[in-house]
Short mmCIF file of all heavy atoms in Angstrom, two decimals:
data_model
loop_
_atom_site.label_atom_id
_atom_site.label_comp_id
_atom_site.label_asym_id
_atom_site.label_seq_id
_atom_site.Cartn_x
_atom_site.Cartn_y
_atom_site.Cartn_z
N ALA C 166 6.14 6.09 -25.49
CA ALA C 166 7.28 5.24 -25.92
C ALA C 166 6.85 4.30 -27.10
O ALA C 166 7.61 4.11 -28.09
CB ALA C 166 7.76 4.39 -24.77
N ALA C 167 5.59 3.81 -27.02
CA ALA C 167 5.13 2.98 -28.13
C ALA C 167 4.95 3.77 -29.42
O ALA C 167 5.25 3.28 -30.54
CB ALA C 167 3.75 2.36 -27.72
N ASP C 168 4.57 5.03 -29.27
CA ASP C 168 4.47 5.88 -30.46
C ASP C 168 5.79 6.11 -31.11
O ASP C 168 5.92 6.05 -32.33
CB ASP C 168 3.84 7.24 -30.07
CG ASP C 168 2.38 7.16 -29.63
OD1 ASP C 168 1.76 6.16 -30.04
OD2 ASP C 168 1.88 8.05 -29.00
N VAL C 169 6.81 6.33 -30.29
CA VAL C 169 8.17 6.50 -30.80
C VAL C 169 8.65 5.22 -31.50
O VAL C 169 9.20 5.28 -32.63
CB VAL C 169 9.17 6.86 -29.67
CG1 VAL C 169 10.64 6.86 -30.22
CG2 VAL C 169 8.83 8.20 -29.07
N ARG C 170 8.38 4.06 -30.89
CA ARG C 170 8.78 2.82 -31.51
C ARG C 170 8.10 2.61 -32.86
O ARG C 170 8.72 2.07 -33.78
CB ARG C 170 8.46 1.66 -30.54
CG ARG C 170 9.09 0.33 -30.91
CD ARG C 170 8.76 -0.75 -29.94
NE ARG C 170 9.26 -0.55 -28.58
CZ ARG C 170 10.49 -0.91 -28.24
NH1 ARG C 170 11.31 -1.43 -29.09
NH2 ARG C 170 10.91 -0.69 -26.96
N GLY C 171 6.89 2.98 -33.00
CA GLY C 171 6.18 2.87 -34.28
C GLY C 171 6.74 3.83 -35.35
O GLY C 171 6.63 3.49 -36.54
N LEU C 172 7.25 5.01 -34.89
CA LEU C 172 7.76 5.93 -35.85
C LEU C 172 9.14 5.66 -36.35
O LEU C 172 9.56 6.06 -37.42
CB LEU C 172 7.79 7.32 -35.23
CG LEU C 172 6.38 8.04 -35.10
CD1 LEU C 172 6.52 9.27 -34.25
CD2 LEU C 172 5.80 8.34 -36.44
N VAL C 173 9.93 4.89 -35.51
CA VAL C 173 11.33 4.64 -35.82
C VAL C 173 11.56 4.07 -37.23
O VAL C 173 12.37 4.55 -38.01
CB VAL C 173 11.99 3.77 -34.77
CG1 VAL C 173 13.33 3.25 -35.21
CG2 VAL C 173 12.16 4.60 -33.47
N PRO C 174 10.87 2.97 -37.65
CA PRO C 174 11.13 2.44 -38.96
C PRO C 174 10.82 3.48 -40.09
O PRO C 174 11.57 3.49 -41.11
CB PRO C 174 10.13 1.23 -39.04
CG PRO C 174 9.86 0.84 -37.62
CD PRO C 174 9.88 2.13 -36.88
N LEU C 175 9.78 4.22 -39.91
CA LEU C 175 9.44 5.21 -40.93
C LEU C 175 10.49 6.31 -41.00
O LEU C 175 10.89 6.77 -42.11
CB LEU C 175 8.09 5.89 -40.59
CG LEU C 175 6.88 4.93 -40.52
CD1 LEU C 175 5.62 5.67 -40.12
CD2 LEU C 175 6.62 4.28 -41.91
N ILE C 176 11.03 6.70 -39.86
CA ILE C 176 12.09 7.76 -39.82
C ILE C 176 13.37 7.22 -40.50
O ILE C 176 14.01 7.88 -41.25
CB ILE C 176 12.31 8.19 -38.42
CG1 ILE C 176 11.08 8.93 -37.86
CG2 ILE C 176 13.53 9.10 -38.30
CD1 ILE C 176 11.13 9.26 -36.37
N ARG C 177 13.70 5.93 -40.18
CA ARG C 177 14.89 5.37 -40.79
C ARG C 177 14.79 5.31 -42.30
O ARG C 177 15.73 5.69 -43.03
CB ARG C 177 15.08 3.93 -40.21
CG ARG C 177 15.63 3.87 -38.79
CD ARG C 177 15.65 2.44 -38.36
NE ARG C 177 16.11 2.38 -36.95
CZ ARG C 177 15.98 1.30 -36.20
NH1 ARG C 177 15.39 0.21 -36.69
NH2 ARG C 177 16.46 1.28 -34.97
#
Side-chain angles (χ1 to χ4, degrees):
D168 290 341
V169 173
R170 194 181 292 276
L172 287 171
V173 166
L175 299 176
I176 293 172
R177 287 174 180 166

